[in-house]
Amino acid sequence: MVPADDEARERLAVVGEIAAEVAHELRNVLQVISASAYVARQEAARGDATATLSHVVKIEKNARIAHGIVDDLMSLARADALHAESVLVAEVLVGARADLAPDAADWEDVIEPRDLRVRAHPGLLARVLHVLYENAIHASGPGVPRVTTRARASGGCLRLEVGDDGPGVPEAIAARVFEPLVTARAGGTGLGLALARRIMVAHGGTIELVDATPGATFRLELPGA
């Protein structure tokens, strides 16, 4: 049995990690909202109602994303019972890229079959994939990475693999890449992959870095739908 003091410290550590990741993710969303609000004011002053409305729609969309981030991650911090449902894998991929620029990567999706489903919390699973996609994009430097997502049923579980053609994970941190504060990315929090692992464990699944050349490949396994 884990001593109560150790449990409290672990709980505090979890809350701290998730709060820091919430702050990181909200910063990106708030930047979009602020920029859209500024442009909307400029367009309104010129009397361009159509352009103004388009930016208001973008503000509303990103406000919904922000609420989703807070709700999903704070639910994880509270260790609430995971709300899992049967969802199309293709829809989860769309959600994972909702606030990424369409041209941020050359996306390739191989889902077999195309209507493959997984039983998961859609928002949290999308958050795991978002972390992997964002890391691949930032690791590519000035170039546009090719990011491939493969999904298939395997031995009663669902296997998802996300791979890119970037420089890969530095050998010095590869063995500790899921530990909090471990990162090779300038300006990175080192919490994204730690959070991804917590989300996968909450689903009864796993995430691992697998050998791949070139680039980095992460494998996720979840119980079947």
Side-chain angles (χ1 to χ4, degrees), residues 111-174:
I111 305 173
E112 302 173 348
R114 287 298 302 174
D115 62 351
L116 183 63
R117 305 183 77 89
V118 61
R119 187 161 188 80
H121 184 297
L124 289 176
L125 182 55
R127 178 63 33 199
V128 173
L129 292 169
H130 177 84
V131 167
L132 299 180
Y133 292 151
E134 190 177 46
N135 285 352
I137 291 166
H138 282 278
S140 68
V144 176
R146 183 173 185 81
V147 180
T148 302
T149 305
R150 302 181 185 275
R152 63 184 177 88
S154 176
C157 71
L158 179 99
R159 174 174 291 177
L160 272 163
E161 290 187 348
V162 177
D164 63 62
D165 60 355
V169 178
E171 186 177 349
I173 67 169

Side-chain angles (χ1 to χ4, degrees), residues 21-31 65-67 69-70:
E21 187 64 18
V22 167
H24 171 69
E25 294 295 339
L26 288 185
R27 183 170 56 208
N28 297 334
V29 177
L30 290 172
Q31 285 175 346
I65 291 172
H67 280 295
I69 290 169
V70 173

Side-chain angles (χ1 to χ4, degrees), residues 7-224:
E7 285 186 0
R9 279 193 291 270
E10 171 65 14
R11 195 93 190 104
L12 187 60
V14 171
V15 172
E17 289 172 21
I18 293 175
E21 187 64 18
V22 167
H24 171 69
E25 294 295 339
L26 288 185
R27 183 170 56 208
N28 297 334
V29 177
L30 290 172
Q31 285 175 346
V32 174
I33 290 174
S34 296
S36 296
Y38 174 79
V39 176
R41 284 198 304 270
Q42 303 300 311
E43 300 294 351
R46 286 195 288 267
D48 189 339
T50 300
T52 301
L53 180 59
S54 71
H55 289 288
V56 170
V57 169
K58 186 179 291 186
I59 290 169
E60 291 176 337
K61 174 188 173 184
N62 280 273
R64 287 194 298 272
I65 291 172
H67 280 295
I69 290 169
V70 173
D71 290 346
D72 291 345
L73 298 187
M74 296 320 295
S75 176
L76 185 67
R78 293 191 301 265
D80 292 348
L82 194 71
H83 171 68
E85 59 186 79
S86 179
V87 61
L88 286 168
V89 171
E91 290 182 356
V92 177
L93 302 192
V94 170
R97 299 169 191 160
D99 61 343
L100 296 174
D103 58 354
D106 180 7
W107 306 105
E108 179 185 12
D109 299 331
V110 183
I111 305 173
E112 302 173 348
R114 287 298 302 174
D115 62 351
L116 183 63
R117 305 183 77 89
V118 61
R119 187 161 188 80
H121 184 297
L124 289 176
L125 182 55
R127 178 63 33 199
V128 173
L129 292 169
H130 177 84
V131 167
L132 299 180
Y133 292 151
E134 190 177 46
N135 285 352
I137 291 166
H138 282 278
S140 68
V144 176
R146 183 173 185 81
V147 180
T148 302
T149 305
R150 302 181 185 275
R152 63 184 177 88
S154 176
C157 71
L158 179 99
R159 174 174 291 177
L160 272 163
E161 290 187 348
V162 177
D164 63 62
D165 60 355
V169 178
E171 186 177 349
I173 67 169
R176 300 182 297 115
V177 74
F178 294 105
E179 295 177 13
L181 307 181
V182 174
T183 182
R185 189 171 118 195
T189 63
L191 295 173
L193 288 175
L195 175 64
R197 181 171 63 178
R198 290 192 186 280
I199 292 173
M200 293 302 296
V201 169
H203 279 86
T206 60
I207 181 171
E208 62 178 329
L209 174 66
V210 298
D211 290 337
T213 302
T217 296
F218 289 85
R219 178 179 297 153
L220 290 64
E221 292 193 348
L222 290 147

